[in-house]
Amino acid sequence: MAVATRTTRRNAALLLGAALVALTATACNSTGGSTVSTEPKQTSAATSAADATGSAGTAKPAESKPADAPKAVAKPGDTIALKGNDPADTADVTLVKVVDNAEGEDEFTHPADGKRFVSVQFRIKASGKKAYSDVPGNSAKLLDAQGQAFGSTVADTKAGPSFQVPANIAPGESALGFVTFEVPKDIKVDKAQFGLDSGFAPQSGQWKLG
């Protein structure tokens, strides 16, 4: 029963992913290129705290950074604001945590010889006018220090629940779930990326893990 359920989920994800790829291929991308955002979104709490400190006069005003100063780099716990091909399709995506060497949910779920599971938990908030309806597993990938990319696998682990397939999130609401990857045992996972429209949006977010 567990094997049949897992096979059904895998087939559903693959079929939906293929449909989304076909739809995206016919869409017009007005940006003319793609970008990778590595800068975390400033939270309203942080902004309010900074404003309160400045208005109280209890601290010196922050010095302006030079134009060539390095920007903050997103890491686990940070949120990145992402855009889709449709201007109304936006989402705030947070990489919550990474569980390396994750254990399969049951006795039938285990990585292939010489490989391991890495489960990454994301929180997706539909921040635009449109609902988020996609397969998060198609949107995420891991990179090692050499830049080799690894796509997700359809597997549940004891790290926690995976996203539903598809994940449907109403505007203003959010969903939490794990995306699992099967990677070689000997590599060091260095970065994670996530893009809307099953990864075909003109922008992807990137988090530094190491």
Side-chain angles (χ1 to χ4, degrees), residues 21-40:
V21 169
L23 287 171
T24 304
T26 61
C28 177
N29 185 348
S30 61
T31 61
S34 59
T35 61
V36 176
S37 174
T38 62
E39 189 170 5

Side-chain angles (χ1 to χ4, degrees), residues 68-194:
D68 58 350
K71 294 182 178 179
V73 175
K75 58 186 183 301
D78 287 332
T79 300
I80 298 178
L82 297 177
K83 300 176 182 178
N85 287 292
D86 186 333
D89 183 14
T90 63
D92 289 343
V93 179
T94 306
L95 192 157
V96 180
K97 64 179 177 180
V98 178
V99 180
D100 206 342
N101 285 307
E103 185 179 351
E105 183 182 46
D106 53 45
E107 60 183 301
F108 304 104
T109 307
H110 53 80
D113 290 344
K115 295 190 176 182
R116 72 185 195 270
F117 285 144
V118 178
S119 292
V120 182
Q121 188 179 44
F122 292 96
R123 182 182 298 279
I124 304 169
K125 179 179 180 181
S127 59
K129 296 180 179 179
K130 289 181 61 178
Y132 174 95
S133 183
D134 203 348
V135 181
N138 293 343
S139 302
K141 61 184 176 181
L142 294 181
L143 293 87
D144 66 10
Q146 283 70 48
Q148 295 182 99
F150 302 90
S152 66
T153 185
V154 181
D156 292 319
T157 70
K158 291 183 179 179
S162 302
F163 284 102
Q164 292 296 308
V165 178
N168 295 308
I169 308 170
E173 296 184 0
S174 63
L176 183 70
F178 278 92
V179 175
T180 297
F181 304 83
E182 189 174 16
V183 303
K185 279 186 177 180
D186 59 351
I187 72 156
K188 179 180 179 182
V189 176
D190 187 55
K191 301 179 183 73
Q193 290 186 349
F194 193 98

Side-chain angles (χ1 to χ4, degrees), residues 42-52:
Q42 187 175 19
T43 64
S44 57
T47 303
S48 298
D51 291 343

